[in-house]
Amino acid sequence: MESSTPRPKLFSFLTHGLFLIPYALDYLKGIWNGKHKPYPTYAGDGRDGIYPLRAADGGEAIKISIAGDWGTGTNEAFQVAEKMSAFQPDYTLHLGDVYYVGDDREVKENFLGQMTDRYTPVSFPKGSVGTFALVGNHEMYGGGSPYFGEMLSYCRTGTGESQKASFFCLETAAWRILGLDTGYNSFGIPVLGVIPDVVPNFPFFKTDCHLPEELLDWLRTNVKPQQNKKPTLLLSHHQYFSGFPKEEGFRRPAEQLKEFFAGQDVVWIWGHEHRLAIYDRFSPDGSVQCYGRCLGNGGMPVETGDPDLKKAPLAFYDPRSDYPIGDGTHAGWNGFLNLTLHGSILTLDYRDLENRQLFVERFFGHSDGSLQNTYQTPVPMLKQPTS
C-alpha cells in the first residue's frame, strides 16, 4: 500500500539550469574521496562470476525483467517496478543509474526502498530467483561505495550469494548474458562534459567508459567467449552508438570486446540515453557487430525529438511526447523490457509504464553463436523513422 508521503516529481529531474546545484557538494565529496577501491572482481578459477539461469517453477522458460536509468524514486519508477513484478520474473536486472549522485540516502530511497527523511521510498523489484544491477555514471558521481556495498548486497545471484562484482555472466545451455561495467570509468571531471549549461563541451572533460582490466581478465580466464561460443546478449549502462542528435556513442568498450566477439553478431542492450530505440545490425567502427537496443527509459524524463538517420540505422523508436511529467511539461513514456529465454529462442517484449506492449522481437540462437532476428507484425506502438 502506498504512503501519502510525496515522491519527487519527474520534471525535477530535467537536467537544466539550477537543478544540479544541490548535488554539487555530494559530487565534490565524491571527487575528493575518489572511486571505490579495491575494485571487486572474481577468482580466476574458470567458473567464478558465471551463474546458471533457471526458472523458479522448474520449467524450461526463464523470465527476466529489465529496466535502465530507473533509480529516481518517482511515481513513474514505482509504476514501472509494479509492472515488472506483474511479469513474475525469475530474474530482474537494472542497467544502472541511481539518481542523482548515488549516495547512501539516494540508494536507500530510490533502490532499496528504505525510508530516510524525505520521500516515500521505492524498491527495485526482486526476481523470484535472482536480481542483478550494473553500475552507471550516476552511482559513480558519489564515488560508488553505496553501489558496491548496499546495492550489491541487495542483489542475489540465485546461488545463495549476493552479487559480488559490477559485472557477471548468466548462462543456459543455449545462451549467454554478459553484464558489463562501463560505469566505473565514467567518474570524475568528465561529468562536467555532459552538462552543457555549466561547462563547454571540451574534449578534456570527456570519458571513454573503458572496461576495467579486471573485467577483461575475467572474460579471458573464466568466460572464454571465443573458445566457447554461444548466442550472446550484452548488457551495459553506456551506449555503443546513438541515432539521435546531440548524443554520442562510447566506442572504447566495443574496441576492447573485439577480441572476444570477432566474427560474431551479438544483441546489445544499454541505457544512459533516456529513450527506447531499436537498431538494425550495425557497428560504427567494425569492433562488434550488434543489434543495439537502447532501454534508458526506466525512470528519468524520456527524451523526445527526431532521430538523425545519418548516425546509425534506427529501425524503430517510441515517438510519443505526450506524457505529463509535472509543471505543465511533457516528455516521452517510461517503460521496461520483459525477456523470455526458452531453449534457443530469446524473446524481447518492450512495454511502457501502463504495461502496454510496444514491440516484440525474437532472436533465434545457433550453436555457433550466430543469430536470426524477427519481429512481430503489425508492430504494436513503435514507429519506423522517416527519411
Side-chain angles (χ1 to χ4, degrees):
M1 182 176 179
E2 279 195 78
S3 165
S4 59
T5 308
R7 293 193 173 101
K9 299 297 184 182
L10 193 55
F11 77 87
S12 67
F13 286 88
L14 292 173
T15 53
H16 298 294
L18 300 178
F19 171 68
L20 298 174
I21 290 177
Y23 300 96
L25 180 59
D26 290 326
Y27 171 64
L28 291 174
K29 287 179 182 177
I31 290 179
W32 179 261
N33 294 326
K35 293 191 290 189
H36 176 87
K37 292 182 179 178
Y39 182 69
T41 188
Y42 299 104
D45 59 4
R47 62 181 183 276
D48 199 17
I50 302 174
Y51 304 103
L53 286 168
R54 60 184 175 86
D57 63 6
E60 295 182 0
I62 299 165
K63 299 191 296 182
I64 303 173
S65 200
I66 305 175
D69 300 76
W70 171 86
T72 56
T74 59
N75 283 326
E76 287 76 13
F78 178 81
Q79 290 177 65
V80 166
E82 278 196 318
K83 302 308 186 298
M84 291 171 69
S85 296
F87 184 53
Q88 298 183 332
D90 301 302
Y91 297 84
T92 55
L93 297 171
H94 186 225
L95 298 179
D97 270 5
V98 175
Y99 296 90
Y100 203 77
V101 294
D103 63 15
D104 182 69
R105 174 180 50 77
E106 290 173 336
V107 164
K108 282 182 167 64
E109 285 181 351
N110 300 343
F111 195 89
L112 305 179
Q114 298 175 10
M115 189 74 180
T116 58
D117 60 351
R118 296 198 307 170
Y119 299 118
T120 299
V122 181
S123 58
F124 189 71
K126 287 193 172 184
S128 55
V129 177
T131 296
F132 290 84
L134 297 178
V135 62
N137 47 299
H138 281 266
E139 289 92 339
M140 293 306 302
Y141 289 168
S145 289
Y147 166 82
F148 285 102
E150 298 165 275
M151 281 182 61
L152 290 191
S153 295
Y154 178 87
C155 296
R156 310 296 293 180
T157 63
T159 62
E161 300 177 336
S162 296
Q163 185 179 334
K164 294 168 58 176
S166 53
F167 53 95
F168 50 83
C169 176
L170 311 177
E171 286 195 332
T172 67
W175 274 86
R176 174 181 290 129
I177 299 175
L178 284 176
L180 304 172
D181 180 353
T182 61
Y184 191 73
N185 290 317
S186 64
F187 167 76
I189 294 299
V191 64
L192 300 178
V194 298
I195 309 177
D197 291 343
V198 181
V199 173
N201 203 15
F202 294 136
F204 172 75
F205 296 113
K206 296 291 186 180
T207 179
D208 64 3
C209 298
H210 62 276
L211 303 176
E213 193 59 38
E214 293 89 341
L215 187 160
L216 298 173
D217 287 342
W218 170 76
L219 285 173
R220 296 183 187 109
T221 303
N222 289 11
V223 182
K224 302 178 181 179
Q226 275 291 318
Q227 296 93 321
N228 181 23
K229 286 193 174 184
K230 285 186 177 182
T232 299
L233 166 62
L234 303 181
L235 304 174
S236 67
H237 179 68
H238 293 88
Q239 68 267 25
Y240 181 16
F241 53 81
S242 174
F244 289 84
K246 299 182 181 180
E247 298 289 351
E248 298 184 23
F250 298 86
R251 298 187 181 184
R252 181 58 183 150
E255 293 172 359
Q256 294 173 288
L257 292 170
K258 185 175 181 179
E259 71 170 277
F260 306 107
F261 298 105
Q264 179 181 346
D265 295 348
V266 300
V267 186
W268 194 337
I269 300 175
W270 55 68
H272 191 62
E273 191 179 340
H274 304 145
R275 66 175 83 247
L276 173 61
I278 310 294
Y279 294 93
D280 287 329
R281 177 181 176 272
F282 181 59
S283 173
D285 57 1
S287 294
V288 177
Q289 290 286 346
C290 73
Y291 296 87
R293 275 81 182 108
C294 180
L295 188 70
N297 61 342
M300 284 287 279
V302 174
E303 299 167 50
T304 61
D306 296 327
D308 180 352
L309 299 183
K310 296 178 182 178
K311 295 181 64 177
L314 182 68
F316 295 93
Y317 72 110
D318 190 343
R320 294 176 296 169
S321 59
D322 60 347
Y323 183 81
I325 63 174
D327 198 32
T329 306
H330 291 78
W333 287 70
N334 296 103
F336 62 101
L337 168 65
N338 286 335
L339 177 157
T340 303
L341 262 174
H342 194 162
S344 62
I345 302 174
L346 174 72
T347 302
L348 304 179
D349 182 351
Y350 304 85
R351 293 177 173 258
D352 70 13
L353 80 171
E354 293 187 354
N355 217 14
R356 290 177 293 198
Q357 191 174 74
L358 307 177
F359 186 77
V360 181
E361 62 178 332
R362 290 179 177 83
F363 288 92
F364 298 85
H366 303 285
S367 59
D368 61 356
S370 60
L371 301 171
Q372 178 186 356
N373 177 229
T374 64
Y375 61 87
Q376 175 182 305
T377 57
V379 175
M381 294 191 73
L382 296 194
K383 301 297 183 184
Q384 290 179 302
T386 56
S387 55

